[in-house]
Amino acid sequence: MIDGLLVALEPANLLLMVAGVAGGVIIGCLPGLTATMGTALLVPFTFTMEPASGLVMLGALYVGAMFGDAVPAILVNIPGTPSSMATAFDGHPLAQQGRGQHALVAACFSSAVGALVGGFALLVLSPPLASAALAFGPPEFFWLGAFALTIVGTVVGDSFLRGICGGLLGLLLSTIGIAASGGANRFTFGHYELSAGISLPVALIGLFAVPQLIKLVQERRQKTQIAPYISRPGVLRASLPEIARPIPLLRASAIGTVTGILPGSGPSLANLVSYNEAVRWSRDRRSFGKGNIQGVVASETAGNAAAPTSMVPLLTLGIPGSNVAAVLLGALLFHGLRPGAELFEDAPEVVYGFIWAMIIGGFIVFGLGRLMTPLLVRVIQTPISVLVPAIAALTVVGSFSVRNSIFDVYLMLILGLLGYGAVRLGIPVATIALGLILGPIVESGLNTSLGMADNSGWLDVFVLRPICLVLIAMTALSILWTVYARRNERRDALVSKAEAED
Amino acid sequence: MMDARDASDASGLLNRDLVTGLAAIALGTLTYFTSPGWDERAWFFPNTIATGLIVVGALLLGSAAMRRRREAVLGTRMEILDAGWFAGSLLVYLYLVEAIGYLYATWVFVFVESLVLGKRTRWRTVPIVFVLAGLGAGFITYLFGEAFNVPLPEGALL
């Protein structure tokens, strides 16, 4: 743990953290660009770094993006990412009242508090959970992969079946190349470049960046109105009694911490739940939605507390709790690091360095966020005609640099168009990415388990092991719960429609 | 979801479950045809996924038959044109990257995209956009190629 802190505090890594937070804040504040896309774009550039430095930078970028997304939510009423949706509810009315700086200061302060609480929760909870993962063998890893795919399929997107379809497509893509067992060439169609399989960073850039760029191009005609921003000195000091109330901060931090740990929910859900609770516990409920600064505090604190804790299932079990976590899983695997107990034992400086980066990132957000705010007001006005070609040029650099291959750049475009098609069909690209990332783990678990089953029997290997039983039950429960919840949603929608017609 | 104004502009309404289901079954079947069979250990996993795709595809077809909701899967005509334009321009950009190298290809790409995606382009501003595009491309090339030492695609020119 201390080694990780020392790694994070190395001058070069501190500098990378500042750069990561600054980059994350800018990415987060540009409407249409997501933390996932920013992380995916940055992954290839971390390969020339030490794994610890690369992950420190990625962690800091994520923390920065979680604050940056509040800027367009407050000033333009467009959340930079889904995790700042509730920030806009009160942040934008505040900006319209000429109190935009108050809202941004509140967002910066609560983001920092959330990141600190979530970061420490990640630090405390991860090691014991990772130790529990030591009991996992190949059959358990096979079921864990199946569970991860199911849970993401159930939580992300509006159709469970289409989510599963995306996961299966990702798994199929992961089988391209020479098979680890048997050495057969699978789906290479004569292209030797495919023998080593699809490079994860190339796939992540294609799947997350290209559909987003097409969306930006399509939405360029929409007009946005930016609220006036007037900068005055001493706003933080004046706002502190209002924004630094311990009970609302603790409540929002606790909601964010717990929601973040649940796989598939993460910051996007945490900010909404926390906002709802802030309204419920307030004596002045009617002021919410009209410019109550506590609405901004509740949303930002929870969203930023959930960001680090969404890494708990990733670091301990290898289940990504959010889209960014899925990209980070890809980054870890590409650096040759496998999440779980091994990661904590074999590369403690990397994993703890990453966790500390998220905690220190909270402090950096507080300092840098306030300094950068006047600049961010200009950044959010960057025209699409500048943003899109610049990011497209970066996707080429990122995908080429992994293996110095122009084939990979074309592959990135093909996967990007596949991702766009998936988005149009309502298949979340995160499920495809997750299938692609988890594919080798699931296949290796399956093949080793099949070998074990030749001696012990299928039932003993795949079912009659305590952890396997728990994982099978959790997978079945998540499927049944989704079917039940979706049925209820449809019934409620029909009832509402009938009532409206009456 | 789209609003009523978009609906009039939508080019063909389709059922998402139907399209996804058919695509999944087609992909699963294609995988079976490509694989030598279940006996080889290396093909066990792809065949298992193919089976999963066919099963999920069939369930999606069932869902499409029960709920016949049709949506503008491809988007409005303008959205299709925008997506087609951008995908096409990216393809040409990649070809140029291979042919003339990263710096000049990026210069051309940034210049053309800035003109096309810009709100209003006046003829007077075209030379300025051209110069700014060159400076932008040069900055990215220098930043990654020289400062960060990241390899960039080279072509006939650079």
Side-chain angles (χ1 to χ4, degrees):
Chain A
M1 204 178 280
I2 300 298
D3 286 347
L5 178 63
L6 293 176
V7 165
L9 288 176
E10 279 174 19
N13 287 343
L14 274 176
L15 212 65
L16 285 173
M17 259 187 262
V18 173
V21 168
V25 170
I26 290 173
I27 286 167
C29 93
L30 286 165
L33 301 197
T34 60
T36 315
M37 179 182 168
T39 318
L41 275 173
L42 189 66
V43 166
F45 304 119
T46 64
F47 296 146
T48 49
M49 303 174 188
E50 287 290 314
S53 303
L55 283 162
V56 154
M57 193 172 179
L58 289 170
L61 181 131
Y62 186 27
V63 174
M66 287 293 102
F67 159 66
D69 62 3
V71 180
I74 290 167
L75 295 181
V76 197
N77 202 21
I78 300 173
T81 66
S83 59
S84 65
M85 212 179 286
T87 308
F89 297 164
D90 281 285
H92 191 61
L94 277 168
Q96 284 175 320
Q97 293 158 21
R99 296 186 70 209
Q101 196 189 3
H102 288 77
L104 284 172
V105 163
C108 188
F109 177 78
S110 4
S111 295
V113 172
L116 290 175
V117 175
F120 277 110
L122 174 65
L123 192 68
V124 173
L125 293 173
S126 296
L129 278 172
S131 305
L134 273 174
F136 282 48
E140 284 80 9
F141 275 112
F142 167 72
W143 282 115
L144 191 65
F147 172 63
L149 282 170
T150 317
I151 195 117
V152 172
T154 56
V155 178
V156 186
D158 59 353
S159 162
F160 167 67
L161 284 175
R162 275 185 261 138
I164 293 297
C165 211
L168 289 170
L169 176 61
L171 285 177
L172 194 62
L173 288 172
S174 79
T175 63
I176 292 175
I178 296 174
S181 68
N185 239 333
R186 300 183 302 200
F187 310 115
T188 52
F189 305 109
H191 291 279
Y192 74 91
E193 295 94 337
L194 285 174
S195 300
I198 295 178
S199 159
L200 277 181
V202 170
L204 294 174
I205 291 174
L207 288 170
F208 287 110
V210 174
Q212 201 66 34
L213 287 175
I214 296 176
K215 194 172 166 224
L216 281 174
V217 169
Q218 290 169 334
E219 290 174 352
R220 72 183 187 278
R221 293 177 194 89
Q222 288 175 8
K223 284 183 181 163
T224 49
Q225 196 80 41
I226 296 170
Y229 178 82
I230 306 148
S231 183
R232 292 188 193 91
V235 167
L236 174 65
R237 200 173 297 167
S239 307
L240 264 182
E242 212 178 356
I243 59 177
R245 292 186 194 160
I247 293 175
L249 280 175
L250 273 174
R251 184 176 53 227
S253 300
I255 290 170
T257 303
V258 174
T259 317
I261 295 171
L262 304 172
S265 48
S268 336
L269 183 66
N271 77 107
L272 291 168
V273 175
S274 175
Y275 182 85
N276 190 44
E277 287 307 302
V279 176
R280 215 160 61 85
W281 286 87
S282 173
R283 288 178 189 160
D284 186 19
R285 289 181 199 178
R286 288 187 179 180
S287 65
F288 279 87
K290 294 171 188 160
N292 187 327
I293 208 149
Q294 286 304 324
V296 177
V297 172
S299 165
E300 283 300 302
T301 311
N304 285 273
T309 53
S310 69
M311 300 297 151
V312 172
L314 166 71
L315 295 178
T316 56
L317 299 167
I319 303 175
S322 62
N323 288 351
V324 176
V327 176
L328 286 169
L329 175 59
L332 280 170
L333 293 173
F334 205 81
H335 276 289
L337 303 163
R338 189 168 164 166
E342 289 169 24
L343 184 63
F344 283 82
E345 278 179 10
D346 299 343
E349 75 289 352
V350 176
V351 67
Y352 285 115
F354 171 70
I355 296 173
W356 279 110
M358 297 194 97
I359 296 169
I360 299 167
F363 288 105
I364 299 174
V365 159
F366 185 61
L368 207 63
R370 286 187 307 129
L371 284 177
M372 284 178 76
T373 306
L375 170 76
L376 298 178
V377 177
R378 290 181 186 279
V379 168
I380 56 169
Q381 298 175 53
T382 309
I384 299 290
S385 56
V386 174
L387 207 57
V388 167
I391 295 167
L394 288 182
T395 62
V396 173
V397 180
S399 47
F400 180 81
S401 64
V402 180
R403 294 192 285 210
N404 293 358
S405 158
I406 197 78
F407 181 86
D408 276 349
V409 187
Y410 282 105
L411 190 62
M412 178 273 296
L413 177 62
I414 292 167
L415 288 169
L417 295 178
L418 178 80
Y420 176 70
V423 169
R424 299 288 342 177
L425 285 172
I427 300 171
V429 283
T431 57
I432 305 176
L434 196 63
L436 191 60
I437 294 166
L438 290 176
I441 298 171
V442 176
E443 184 176 9
S444 146
L446 178 68
N447 282 336
T448 317
S449 307
L450 284 172
M452 289 161 68
D454 288 342
N455 302 324
S456 319
W458 276 61
L459 209 62
D460 284 340
V461 172
F462 281 99
V463 184
L464 298 176
R465 290 163 71 107
I467 299 174
C468 283
L469 277 172
V470 171
L471 288 168
I472 293 168
M474 282 162 70
T475 309
L477 269 177
S478 77
I479 294 172
L480 290 174
W481 170 252
T482 309
V483 173
Y484 173 75
R486 295 266 153 86
R487 187 166 287 176
N488 277 357
E489 273 172 29
R490 273 199 297 274
R491 195 189 56 204
D492 292 347
L494 283 174
V495 170
S496 310
K497 197 179 166 189
E499 281 173 0
E501 281 170 3
D502 286 344
Chain B
M1 289 299 287
M2 55 175 194
D3 60 27
R5 190 187 50 207
D6 283 344
S8 62
D9 190 27
S11 40
L13 297 174
L14 297 164
N15 184 299
R16 284 201 161 95
D17 284 348
L18 178 74
V19 179
T20 314
L22 287 174
I25 291 172
L27 191 62
T29 313
L30 205 69
T31 306
Y32 273 135
F33 276 116
T34 316
S35 114
W38 287 86
D39 296 336
E40 272 192 54
R41 182 54 63 87
W43 287 92
F44 186 86
F45 189 54
N47 283 337
T48 310
I49 301 165
T51 312
L53 277 168
I54 292 171
V55 170
V56 173
L59 289 172
L60 279 165
L61 291 186
S63 162
M66 280 194 293
R67 283 192 302 277
R68 297 182 180 178
R69 197 171 74 170
R70 295 170 73 180
E71 293 161 294
V73 170
L74 299 174
T76 62
R77 230 168 267 139
M78 197 52 92
E79 283 174 339
I80 296 168
L81 279 175
D82 280 339
W85 154 260
F86 187 68
S89 64
L90 263 182
L91 191 65
V92 173
Y93 172 44
L94 298 193
Y95 175 74
L96 284 177
V97 165
E98 204 179 351
I100 60 174
Y102 183 76
L103 173 64
Y104 293 105
T106 304
W107 189 343
V108 173
F109 178 71
V110 174
F111 172 62
V112 174
E113 288 293 328
S114 302
L115 290 182
V116 174
L117 302 179
K119 279 184 180 161
R120 260 179 297 170
T121 308
R122 295 195 183 97
W123 283 109
R124 278 183 308 184
T125 59
V126 172
I128 300 168
V129 174
F130 184 73
V131 173
L132 289 176
L135 288 174
F139 174 71
I140 296 175
T141 309
Y142 177 77
L143 184 72
F144 289 101
E146 301 297 324
F148 293 159
N149 220 8
V150 172
L152 296 174
E154 288 178 7
L157 296 179
L158 189 73

